[in-house]
Amino acid sequence: MTMDSDAARPESPAVPPRGVRPEQRAAQPEPSTAQPAPGAAQPDPRVAQPDPRVAQPEPRVARPDRVPVPPTGLPAHPAKAHHRSFLRELPGIVITALVISVLIKTFLVQAFYIPSGSMENTLLINDRVLVNKLADKPDEIHRGDVVVFRDPGGWLTGAQDGSSSTGVTGLVHRGLVFVGLAPAVGEEDLIKRVIGVGGDHVVCCNKVGKITVNGVALTETYLFPGDDPSADRFDVTVPKGKIWVMGDHRSVSEDSRAHNEQSGTSGFVPVPNVIGRAFTIVWPLERAKLLRTPDTFRQLRRTGVAP
């Protein structure tokens, strides 16, 4: 039987090229007939090119959504953790500071406020001074020292404590005074300069109008300008355990001179009444300075008159 030559014939299976395995037949790329574009970079024949017939591994791409995890045991936010730790420790820090402040005020140093002009121009009204509370013994109190002491009795009349104001302001001020962070106005406290100590013979005045201590004349350069050493005459011997004090502004100071047998009060201050020695002005800042012993009292020591 004859068959039409144009009839469809079954196709012969394609013979794979030599060297290609059957499982790679489907991966055979069709030969490219595309021509490189004019001016395109040509591959370097000296560099080995990847075989297009072999599947290439996909390149690894970094994933930006991954955040490094801190090591186990460390806080994820150290700044926040440090802040929380500080807040937990803050009450302890405040309490410790208050305790230290109270101890310092009680045993070492206390601030005092100057309410009057009796010590001008050494100390002015509203000055703040620090007082060394360890200098309250007979062997620590020297002539020329500026000391704070409690009223021996009858020296202050009608004085009021500026910290006695009512309301929140007064309460806060009294609290600050208690812990030593504010100066005490001191309704029972006075501040004067020591002129004589126990056993001293203090006289006013010699032929040239100067006060003498044990026969040695004082050159008092610290007096308020225009003031005389004293307008009142006196001749006293200071008892043991007591001191004789005077203000630097002699014309307005009510000190040991104003208290005697006639006034019904004693002009001598008992050493146990001494709170301490003022050693520096701390406020206002422009007046901040140390309170040093005047040279005239050092002269007494050089002449062999102690202390």
Side-chain angles (χ1 to χ4, degrees), residues 19-20 24 27-29 47-57:
V20 179
Q24 294 179 332
Q28 292 296 324
V47 179
Q49 301 298 322
D51 191 346
R53 297 171 298 177
V54 180
Q56 300 296 324

Side-chain angles (χ1 to χ4, degrees), residues 151-155 256-268:
D151 185 356
W155 283 42
S256 291
R257 299 170 297 165
H259 304 280
N260 47 41
E261 295 179 358
Q262 286 75 23
S263 67
T265 57
S266 173
F268 302 111

Side-chain angles (χ1 to χ4, degrees), residues 95-113:
I95 293 174
T96 302
L98 291 176
V99 171
I100 293 175
S101 179
V102 170
L103 292 176
I104 290 176
K105 178 234 176 180
T106 303
F107 299 106
L108 300 178
V109 176
Q110 184 175 356
F112 282 86
Y113 159 81

Side-chain angles (χ1 to χ4, degrees), residues 97-134:
L98 291 176
V99 171
I100 293 175
S101 179
V102 170
L103 292 176
I104 290 176
K105 178 234 176 180
T106 303
F107 299 106
L108 300 178
V109 176
Q110 184 175 356
F112 282 86
Y113 159 81
I114 307 303
S116 73
S118 67
M119 282 296 292
E120 293 174 332
N121 281 333
T122 303
L123 301 174
L124 303 182
I125 297 175
N126 293 327
D127 279 355
R128 270 70 167 172
V129 298
L130 292 183
V131 172
N132 176 11
K133 303 188 73 172
L134 296 178

